[in-house]
Amino acid sequence: PTPAQAALLAGAMRFLIPRDVAQPVIGIVAITDAHRSAALTQTLGDALRRQGTGTLVVDADLRGAPLGNAQEGFVDVLLGGDASPRDGVLTAGKTPPNAMELLAGADWEDVTASLRHDGVTLVNCAPLARTSDGAVVASRCDAVLLVVAEDRDRRGDLAEARALLAALDTQVAGIVYESARPVKASSAYDVGAAALGR
């Protein structure tokens, strides 16, 4: 997204965050494209910070690590240790030999508690269609933003993603629809209606 689009989404975050959560952990998950969810996570994090909201960005895509590699990161948190974010970003860390085993065996109550801080935590999840890693992480967040790419994802893909998240009792706070072509509409409602009609 452009900085202007990210600023609009950042301004709307207060309406998307569950009301009963003081320090929300929001997952950002794409259906197929890891780079799009990672780009949205970073851009939205920057926009929230510019608007004065304390924001921690976490890369939970342990296999792809699109937000960069580091010696320590989210993997260490999953193992019960500590890791320090750099410039507001906690990278994935060293790639584990079996990401799914690590995610399934983690103490998620402790992991989620360690991610909460005075502000918003944005968690970049692995794509839903590639592995089950993204679904595991998304289901531990307070809510998720689902990224749909017009040029890659189809209506059936979206239906499957929604069904999976519903089965995991994961709250979808919103759908971010990424289109390469501009959509002419008189309101945000018309933009969404046109996107879902494709």
Side-chain angles (χ1 to χ4, degrees):
T2 65
Q5 291 168 331
L8 283 172
L9 182 56
M13 284 296 287
R14 66 181 183 278
F15 302 111
L16 303 176
I17 293 169
R19 290 183 183 179
D20 57 340
V21 180
Q23 299 169 319
V25 176
I26 306 297
I28 298 181
V29 59
I31 296 176
T32 54
D33 193 340
H35 295 293
R36 296 194 191 199
S37 57
L40 177 62
T41 306
Q42 281 189 305
T43 310
L44 180 56
D46 291 341
L48 284 165
R49 287 186 200 103
R50 280 194 298 275
Q51 293 179 7
T53 302
T55 307
L56 172 64
V57 168
V58 177
D59 190 359
D61 185 349
L62 304 183
R63 299 172 203 258
L67 297 184
N69 239 334
Q71 289 301 309
E72 64 174 17
F74 187 58
V75 167
D76 298 285
V77 175
L78 290 168
L79 291 169
D82 290 322
S84 300
R86 192 171 180 182
D87 297 324
V89 177
L90 181 62
T91 62
K94 289 184 179 178
T95 305
N98 188 333
M100 189 60 216
E101 187 177 307
L102 177 59
L103 291 167
D107 182 343
W108 279 98
E109 225 173 274
D110 285 349
V111 169
T112 306
S114 72
L115 296 180
R116 295 191 193 281
H117 66 100
D118 189 21
V120 176
T121 301
L122 300 177
V123 179
N124 176 57
C125 304
L128 292 176
R130 286 201 193 153
T131 66
S132 53
D133 300 5
V136 170
V137 177
S139 69
R140 304 300 181 160
C141 296
D142 299 314
V144 298
L145 292 176
L146 181 62
V147 180
V148 179
E150 178 193 37
D151 59 339
R152 295 188 66 161
D153 304 324
R154 299 291 166 251
R155 190 179 289 188
D157 299 328
L158 176 57
E160 286 179 21
R162 289 285 292 122
L164 173 61
L165 294 170
L168 294 169
D169 199 25
T170 303
Q171 180 180 342
V172 177
I175 295 175
V176 177
Y177 183 80
E178 292 195 352
S179 174
R181 54 192 165 154
V183 178
K184 292 182 180 177
S186 58
S187 71
Y189 173 80
D190 290 341
V191 172
L196 291 173
R198 290 185 188 149

